[in-house]
Amino acid sequence: MSVICPHCGKENTVPFSDSVYHTHGYECEDCKKDFGVDDGKKLKEKEDNLVSFSYEKKHKDGEENRVLIEEKDGKILLEPSVLHANHMLEPIEPQDITDIWQKLKVLFFEQLFILDWDKTLTGFITPQSESYRLVLTFKDKEEITYTGENRFPPYLPALDHLFEYFFETGDSK
């Protein structure tokens, strides 16, 4: 089974292993880009050093969903919020996700290949544009930001699906 390329979205990918550099990952045979490349240390280091994860998605109707994951008082909390016209629609209780944080980091880095996403994507801009912003912050204060407007990385729907439960209204639950 092929893995979807985080650059072009095609499934024409093959795993590779490089014995000289002691790395493994995938190569897309369509766009010719490597992704998920790991030497067994750097990817694990990124996973271990991730201290906060912020994701915002603005929809065509102006509603904006936000997720912030960070450590507070020794717990890892996921704090969702829904805004419309920059006003909070309703408070949503933060969720303690300490017990699944490590699994989420593996998902982000090793299955959604977040480090390989293009930093900026822009499509045709309209008054009802959709956009996203994703910010990863690490222990050493390094920050990686990804943004897009009307053009999105292939794995963004998986990220949306992961967090959609937190944005359902009481009527649809």
Side-chain angles (χ1 to χ4, degrees):
M1 182 172 107
S2 293
V3 174
I4 295 171
C5 174
H7 301 287
C8 70
K10 304 269 176 73
E11 289 186 46
N12 193 14
T13 60
V14 292
F16 73 84
S17 183
D18 188 317
S19 59
V20 174
Y21 295 107
H22 306 287
T23 60
H24 62 275
Y26 298 91
E27 179 182 11
C28 179
E29 294 187 333
D30 285 316
C31 71
K32 305 297 183 206
K33 293 182 180 178
D34 292 343
F35 63 96
V37 178
D38 186 20
D39 65 0
K41 297 176 190 167
K42 290 181 184 168
L43 193 57
K44 182 70 175 140
E45 191 176 291
K46 286 287 190 195
E47 285 176 21
D48 291 344
N49 290 325
L50 183 66
V51 294
S52 76
F53 175 96
S54 172
Y55 174 57
E56 303 169 9
K57 177 92 179 264
K58 183 179 176 187
H59 303 277
K60 289 179 183 179
D61 64 1
E63 184 172 287
E64 191 171 326
N65 295 344
R66 294 181 179 175
V67 171
L68 174 62
I69 301 174
E70 64 182 350
E71 184 178 346
K72 285 188 180 176
D73 301 323
K75 296 179 182 176
I76 305 298
L77 297 180
L78 184 151
E79 298 179 41
S81 57
V82 178
L83 294 96
H84 195 75
N86 291 325
H87 298 305
M88 184 82 65
L89 289 180
E90 60 183 76
I92 303 173
E93 280 297 311
Q95 304 289 315
D96 181 354
I97 61 163
T98 305
D99 57 335
I100 64 166
W101 180 229
Q102 191 56 42
K103 289 180 183 176
L104 274 178
K105 292 191 292 186
V106 168
L107 175 74
F108 296 153
F109 293 107
E110 298 178 34
Q111 294 173 322
L112 300 181
F113 307 106
I114 248 170
L115 292 176
D116 293 300
W117 291 15
D118 292 328
K119 300 290 188 277
T120 304
L121 294 169
T122 305
F124 186 72
I125 308 300
T126 67
Q128 274 98 30
S129 291
E130 288 188 306
S131 63
Y132 75 94
R133 178 182 164 98
L134 174 64
V135 180
L136 308 175
T137 307
F138 298 90
K139 285 181 185 174
D140 62 2
K141 306 294 184 212
E142 175 190 8
E143 196 172 272
I144 302 174
T145 301
Y146 304 89
T147 60
E149 190 162 358
N150 283 351
R151 188 164 167 232
F152 307 104
Y155 283 102
L156 197 71
L159 202 57
D160 287 341
H161 183 69
L162 179 66
F163 297 121
E164 72 185 349
Y165 166 80
F166 298 101
F167 302 113
E168 293 177 348
T169 65
D171 297 335
S172 62
K173 278 188 180 179

